[in-house]
Amino acid sequence: MDDRQIVVDGDACPVKQEIAAVAKALGVPVLMVSSFDHLIQAGEGVRTVQVDRSDQSADLYIANHIRRGDVVITQDYGLAALALSKHCYVLSFRGMQFHNEDIEFMLDRRHHQAKARRNGKHSKGPKPITAEDKRIFQQKLTKLLQDLQENV
């Protein structure tokens, strides 16, 4: 039996509706986790959990509740690394799939960027998510879930 779920790092997730639509169409349950500072709503097939607002609470909750084969949606490289170590599939909010081969480089890059920010260097940050980005995310999530369902 396939008891896979989609687990979403819901703080500042811009693709919640797209996740819910794909999950409903494919019959995959969703768990959205966020802090009390962010409003998330449950819906058909979507369960929500809100955690305290301290730093990393949502990530720690997710790390403690994911299982092998779950699909984790996050922008956080640290959470992505934890999920990969638990044999989960990980997608970014833009549909990029994280892999074990890439995560060390990404964590190292994040460290160097944080170090540069502490030294006063500031970058523009990521571009806002567009409707096209959301469409691409939805396609990539659908393909990943369909591929996983075919290989059960």
Side-chain angles (χ1 to χ4, degrees):
M1 181 174 138
D2 185 16
D3 62 349
R4 171 176 293 115
Q5 64 180 340
I6 300 170
V7 181
V8 182
D9 183 357
D11 289 343
C13 176
V15 288
K16 292 179 185 100
Q17 292 178 337
E18 290 75 13
I19 294 166
V22 170
K24 182 178 178 182
L26 296 175
V28 180
V30 176
L31 171 63
M32 288 205 188
V33 180
S34 76
S35 71
F36 286 112
D37 292 333
H38 297 88
L39 176 63
I40 57 173
Q41 294 180 337
E44 185 179 339
V46 178
R47 187 169 60 95
T48 61
V49 171
Q50 292 195 277
V51 296
D52 68 50
R53 58 181 51 102
S54 65
D55 190 34
Q56 306 298 317
S57 290
D59 294 349
L60 290 171
Y61 183 91
I62 291 169
N64 287 319
H65 289 85
I66 52 177
R67 301 176 312 267
R68 174 186 287 268
D70 284 347
V71 175
V72 177
I73 313 285
T74 185
Q75 282 301 113
D76 185 282
Y77 295 162
L79 178 57
L82 286 168
L84 288 170
S85 74
K86 290 187 164 203
H87 305 283
C88 294
Y89 301 90
V90 185
L91 284 180
S92 75
F93 298 153
R94 294 180 190 268
M96 180 187 77
Q97 188 167 355
F98 294 93
H99 298 281
N100 284 316
E101 299 79 26
D102 307 322
I103 199 68
E104 189 173 332
F105 168 76
M106 296 168 103
L107 288 168
D108 189 52
R109 186 176 72 187
R110 178 182 75 169
H111 169 73
H112 288 292
Q113 288 170 338
K115 196 171 168 181
R117 282 191 302 276
R118 283 192 303 271
N119 289 327
K121 183 176 181 177
H122 297 284
S123 62
K124 291 182 180 180
K127 293 179 183 175
I129 296 271
T130 64
E132 178 67 7
D133 292 330
K134 290 180 178 186
R135 187 188 65 74
I136 291 168
F137 169 83
Q138 197 164 9
Q139 287 178 337
K140 292 192 175 183
L141 178 59
T142 300
K143 179 164 180 13
L144 173 62
L145 291 171
Q146 287 174 335
D147 289 350
L148 292 172
Q149 287 177 341
E150 289 174 6
N151 292 321
V152 172

